[in-house]
C-alpha cells in the first residue's frame, strides 16, 4: 500500500479485513515493523477517536508518533503562484516536503469549509500533501472522505454479520450543526465493495454526490427502508446540492428503538444523544458504536502495517 | 489498586510511601511492567507539574503515554437523558467507554467551576469517568480532591521528618484569584491518616468542608497555630461556605520567614511570590517545594505501579 | 557540551559538523545513549520544523520527549522581587527548578517582543532558564539567536560547497510582518567562524547589532553584493535601531532567479513566496531550503549527543 487517502487504495478488501481481525487478536505481533519509523499526525481540526486510536495503532507497530495541531504552528498556503503577503506564513510545497523528512508516514485531518463546494470537492489540502510530500499519506478524514472510518465499519460488519449477505441501511439523521458528507460518502463507497444488500434513506433533497452513490437504491421513506435491516448506520450530513445548508431538522428522522427493531445500530461517533439517536438505542444491546470505535485502532493498524511493508 | 481517585483508595499508606521512596532510588526497576500499556491523560484544565511528572512516571514504568487537552477535541456532555442540541458534541457514556479501549489507565484533570457548589461537590466529571470507563481512573486533580499531590506530600514529610510525630500545620494564605479547595482537602485527609500532630489555621469563615476536616483542630490565630511547627503547608483556597468567593485578601496571612521560624515550608506549586509567601521563605533553606515537586513523579509512579499490577 | 544556547557554546565547529554528517548517514548509531533520558521541549511560541526535527533527533538517540506549549499551562513570571498579584501564576525560579527534575535536558523557544529592545536584548527568558534550571538548556530560538538553525546552515554549506572558501552573502528581504533578528544574528556569527568569504547586504538603516556584525562587510547595493556569490542566504528582519519597526517593504529587495544567478539559495523557513523570494527560485534547482530543513534533525541530534555525553 503506497498511501491510504481513499477507499480505492485498498487492493483486496476481504484480505485486509481478515488481517485487521488477526491484528486485533495479536496486536503486538508486528511490534518491530515500525522500529525507527515515525508517524507524523497533522490536525487541522479537532479529534478524539482518530487521534487516540491512530496513535495507539502506530505504537502497537513500534512506531514513534509526533502529533502537531497545525493551529499551534501557523497558516499554510495552498494556492499556487500568489504573493504571500497576508495571513499565510508557509506554503504547502515547503511544509509537505519538510515534514516528509521528519516522517516516514504523514497522516492528515482537514475538514471541509462547507461554504465553498468546489474548493471542498477539490480536496486541496489532502491532494496537496499527496502531491508535495515524499512519504505515504493517510487520510484521517478529509473534506469528502473518511476511509479509516469506513474500513472500521467494514471490519465491524464482517465480524458481526450472521448471514452471507446482510441488509445494511444508511439512514440520515437530524443535527443542529452543518456536518460534512465525508463519513457518509466513504461508508457508501465501502458498502458498494462488500457483499451486502445496501441502501440509503434520507429526506428528499438530501442526496449525496451522485458520483459516489451511483446506482445504490435511495428510499425517502425511512420506515420502509429500514424493514428487515441487519445493520443500520445512522449519520447526519448537511445538504450537498444546496451546499452545506441545514434544510431539515425533522426529529422524526431520529433513530429510535422502535424503528431499529432487531437491527444492529452503527454510528462513527461523536453522536448527539436524543437528536441523532435516542438513549434507548445507544444504551441497548443492539448498539455497536463502542465496538466500532475499538476497531478504529485495528483499521489504522492494518493500513499502517501495509504502508510500512511497502516502504 | 483498582483506581486512585481519592485518598481512601490507599490500602496501606506506610507501605505505599516506602515503595515510592524505593522507586525514587531505582526508578527503572519496573521498566517492563508497563510494556504495551497505554496511559491516556485527559486535561480539562491547564497543567505543568502534573502533566510532566505523571508522563515521566508512566515512562519510567515503560508505558506509552497519550495526552489530550480535551479542549482540543470538543465539549463533553455529562447530563443524562438530555437532548444534545446545543454545545456538547459527545456524551461521557460514549467518550469514557471509547477511550477505555485505547487506554489501560485513564488519568483525568477537571477543576471545579467554583460557581455551582452542588455540581462541584458531586464530582460529576470524575465520577462519570469512574462510572463509564472500563479501565482504572487516576485523579490528576478534580473539583474537590488532589490525591496525587497529597501522596507526594506524605512522601515528603515521611522522608524529612526528624521526629516520630512531627507537628504539621496547614496555613491559609491570601490570593488574588478564587482557587479550589482540592489541595487543602486532600492534604487534610492525608494528614489524618499519618502519625502527625496536625492542625489548620485560617481566617474566621474560611472553614473547609466539615465532612473532611472532621475533628482536626482549627485555630484562627495564625501565629499561635504555627508555634513549634515542624512542617507548615501553605495554601490558599476560596471560601467554601460562601462558595467560591474571595472574602479575605489580608496580606498579614502571607507566610514569612519570621512566622515560619525553624519549620519546613511546603506548597504544592504554582505559588505566587510575595502574595502567598515571601521570597525569603522560598529562597531559604527551609523550603521543601522543589523536593515536593520531585516527589510528584514517584507518587504517580507508585500509584501506576500498583494499578498495573492489578490489571 | 554543557548547554547550547549560543553559537560560542561550540568548542570545535569543524568536528561538530563532521559528526553531524556522520549521524545523518547512521542516525541510530547512538540509539542507546538517551535511554531513560528525557528531553522536555518548552514552547512559548509556535513551531513546526524545530518541534518535529528536535523531537526526531531526541528519539533517534533513544530519549523520551515531553512537549509543553507553555500557553497550555499559565503565565510565568521572570521579574525578581515583585508581588505576583496580577497575571503570572508561577515564578521562573520554581518552574525551571521543578522542570529540571522531570528532564535531563530542557529545550526552550521564546521569541522577542520586538517592542522592548532592552528586555529582548537581555534574553531574560533564556537566561532565566540557564540560571535556575539544573540541567542543560538548548535554545530553540530565543529573542536574539537561533543557534540550532545556524548550525544547520553551517552543516549545509559544508556539505555542498565545491570550493575551499565559498562566497556567502546574507541578503535582507522584505516582509509584511515585523520579524526578529535572531536567525540573521546567529547566521552572521556562524559565518564568522567558518572558512567563507562572508558579507551582508541590506537597505541603509537596516544594520544588525554591531556587536554581532563586527567587521563583516556590509553593502547596501544588493546586486553588487551578490556578484559571484556561491551561497545566498535570504532573510527578513525588522529594524534593529528603530527597534522592531518595518521601515522598508521595497519589493526590489525580493530574491529573484535573475539576481541569484548560479548561487545556491538558502532560507531557514517558513518563507513567504513572492514576497521574500520568487517562486522560480524556490522551485528551481539552486534552492537548498529542503536540504537545510533536513539538516535541522542532525544539528539538533549532534548537540543532544554532546550534551548527553556530558551528563
Amino acid at each position: 500500500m503506497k498511501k491510504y487517502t481513499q477507499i480505492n487504495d485498498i487492493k483486496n478488501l476481504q484480505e485486509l479485513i481478515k488481517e485487521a481481525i488477526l491484528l486485533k487478536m495479536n496486536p503486538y505481533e508486528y511490534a518491530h515493523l515500525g522500529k525507527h519509523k515515525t508517524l507524523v499526525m497533522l490536525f487541522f481540526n479537532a479529534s478524539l477517536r482518530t487521534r487516540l486510536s491512530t496513535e495507539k495503532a502506530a505504537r502497537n507497530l513500534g512506531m514513534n508518533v509526533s502529533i502537531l495541531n497545525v493551529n499551534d504552528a501557523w497558516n499554510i498556503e495552498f494556492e499556487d503562484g500568489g504573493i504571500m503577503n497576508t495571513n499565510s506564513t508557509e506554503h504547502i510545497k515547503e511544509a509537505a516536503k519538510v515534514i516528509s523528512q521528519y516522517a516516514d508516514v504523514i497522516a492528515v485531518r482537514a475538514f471541509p469549509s462547507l461554504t465553498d463546494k468546489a474548493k471542498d470537492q477539490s480536496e486541496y489540502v489532502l491532494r496537496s500533501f499527496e502531491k508535495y510530500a515524499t512519504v505515504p499519506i493517510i487520510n484521517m478524514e478529509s473534506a469528502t472522505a473518511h476511509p479509516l472510518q469506513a474500513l472500521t465499519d467494514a471490519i465491524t460488519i464482517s465480524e458481526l454479520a450472521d448471514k452471507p449477505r446482510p441488509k445494511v441501511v444508511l439512514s440520515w439523521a437530524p443535527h443542529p450543526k452543518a456536518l460534512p458528507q465525508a463519513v457518509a460518502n466513504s461508508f457508501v463507497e465501502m458498502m458498494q465493495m462488500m457483499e451486502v444488500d445496501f441502501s440509503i434513506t434520507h429526506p428528499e433533497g438530501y442526496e449525496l454526490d451522485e458520483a459516489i452513490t451511483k446506482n445504490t437504491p435511495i428510499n425517502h421513506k425511512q420506515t420502509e427502508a429500514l424493514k428487515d435491516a441487519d445493520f443500520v448506520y445512522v449519520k447526519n450530513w448537511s445538504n450537498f446540492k444546496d451546499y452545506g445548508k441545514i434544510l431539515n431538522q425533522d426529529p422524526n428522522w431520529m433513530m429510535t428503538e422502535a424503528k431499529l427493531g432487531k437491527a444492529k445500530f452503527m454510528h462513527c461517533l461523536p453522536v448527539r444523544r436524543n437528536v441523532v439517536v435516542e438513549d434507548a438505542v445507544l444504551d441497548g444491546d443492539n448498539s455497536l458504536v463502542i465496538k466500532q470505535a475499538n476497531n478504529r485502532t485495528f483499521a489504522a493498524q492494518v493500513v499502517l502495517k501495509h504502508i510500512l511493508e511497502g516502504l
Side-chain angles (χ1 to χ4, degrees), chain A:
Chain A
M1 207 177 244
K2 294 299 174 194
K3 67 181 178 76
Y4 188 60
T5 60
Q6 50 204 27
I7 298 292
N8 61 21
D9 289 324
I10 297 173
K11 297 276 183 338
N12 186 327
L13 178 61
Q14 289 314 313
E15 282 302 311
L16 202 69
I17 290 171
K18 270 186 208 162
E19 210 174 338
I21 294 170
L22 287 171
L23 283 172
K24 192 173 172 177
M25 292 188 289
N26 200 355
Y28 313 116
E29 189 178 349
Y30 299 91
H32 294 284
L33 196 61
K35 194 182 180 190
H36 296 321
K37 303 292 183 199
T38 300
L39 172 67
V40 171
M41 297 170 66
L42 298 176
F43 290 96
F44 288 81
N45 299 94
S47 176
L48 188 149
R49 255 160 300 281
T50 299
R51 160 97 166 62
L52 293 173
S53 64
T54 309
E55 187 178 6
K56 188 176 175 73
R59 294 255 174 74
N60 284 354
L61 293 164
M63 299 184 81
N64 291 321
V65 181
S66 288
I67 297 168
L68 190 67
N69 293 328
V70 182
N71 299 333
D72 287 347
W74 41 68
N75 286 337
I76 291 180
E77 179 61 49
F78 291 89
E79 294 287 332
D80 270 2
I83 297 172
M84 288 171 56
N85 60 0
T86 53
N87 292 323
S88 299
T89 298
E90 178 152 19
H91 198 280
I92 183 63
K93 285 190 187 182
E94 276 71 57
K97 286 178 195 164
V98 165
I99 296 169
S100 297
Q101 299 180 112
Y102 310 142
D104 298 280
V105 184
I106 298 174
V108 179
R109 162 163 287 198
F111 291 166
S113 65
L114 293 181
T115 55
D116 185 334
K117 186 174 184 173
K119 210 175 166 190
D120 289 348
Q121 291 290 303
S122 77
E123 287 280 16
Y124 68 98
V125 175
L126 189 70
R127 297 297 163 233
S128 298
F129 273 98
E130 284 192 71
K131 185 170 179 183
Y132 297 117
T134 55
V135 299
I137 300 295
I138 293 177
N139 181 350
M140 296 195 296
E141 189 172 344
S142 65
T144 71
H146 196 351
L148 279 176
Q149 179 65 47
L151 179 54
T152 300
D153 301 331
I155 295 166
T156 308
I157 290 172
S158 297
E159 284 184 312
L160 299 170
D162 54 8
K163 63 178 70 162
R165 189 180 155 81
K167 177 174 173 179
V168 179
V169 182
L170 170 62
S171 182
W172 182 90
H175 199 282
K177 287 181 64 183
L179 294 191
Q181 295 89 28
V183 168
N185 286 345
S186 292
F187 185 72
V188 169
E189 292 185 310
M190 184 57 86
M191 289 307 107
Q192 291 167 349
M193 290 171 69
M194 289 183 74
E195 278 300 309
V196 295
D197 168 14
F198 180 54
S199 62
I200 308 173
T201 178
H202 58 65
E204 280 194 57
Y206 261 86
E207 278 71 24
L208 293 163
D209 186 351
E210 285 177 17
I212 286 171
T213 53
K214 290 172 187 147
N215 53 5
T216 296
I218 295 169
N219 191 335
H220 296 137
K221 295 177 184 163
Q222 193 188 30
T223 314
E224 199 176 285
L226 295 173
K227 194 162 176 294
D228 296 327
D230 297 295
F231 296 92
V232 177
Y233 201 100
V234 175
K235 182 76 186 83
N236 168 268
W237 57 87
S238 60
N239 207 276
F240 181 68
K241 289 176 191 168
D242 195 355
Y243 191 66
K245 294 291 187 305
I246 299 176
L247 304 183
N248 189 326
Q249 297 207 50
D250 181 359
N252 287 319
W253 278 88
M254 180 175 79
M255 187 53 52
T256 62
E257 232 182 350
K259 289 187 210 173
L260 186 65
K262 292 179 178 174
K264 299 292 184 187
F265 172 79
M266 299 181 74
H267 191 283
C268 60
L269 304 183
V271 68
R272 287 171 178 254
R273 285 177 166 251
N274 304 315
V275 175
V276 168
V277 53
E278 66 174 7
D279 280 339
V281 173
L282 283 166
D283 298 334
D285 291 340
N286 285 332
S287 172
L288 301 182
V289 298
I290 305 303
K291 288 180 180 170
Q292 275 175 276
N294 190 31
N295 281 335
R296 291 295 307 272
T297 301
F298 306 101
Q301 191 170 339
V302 78
V303 164
L304 280 166
K305 175 177 178 286
H306 277 246
I307 287 175
L308 288 171
E309 287 168 344
L311 288 182

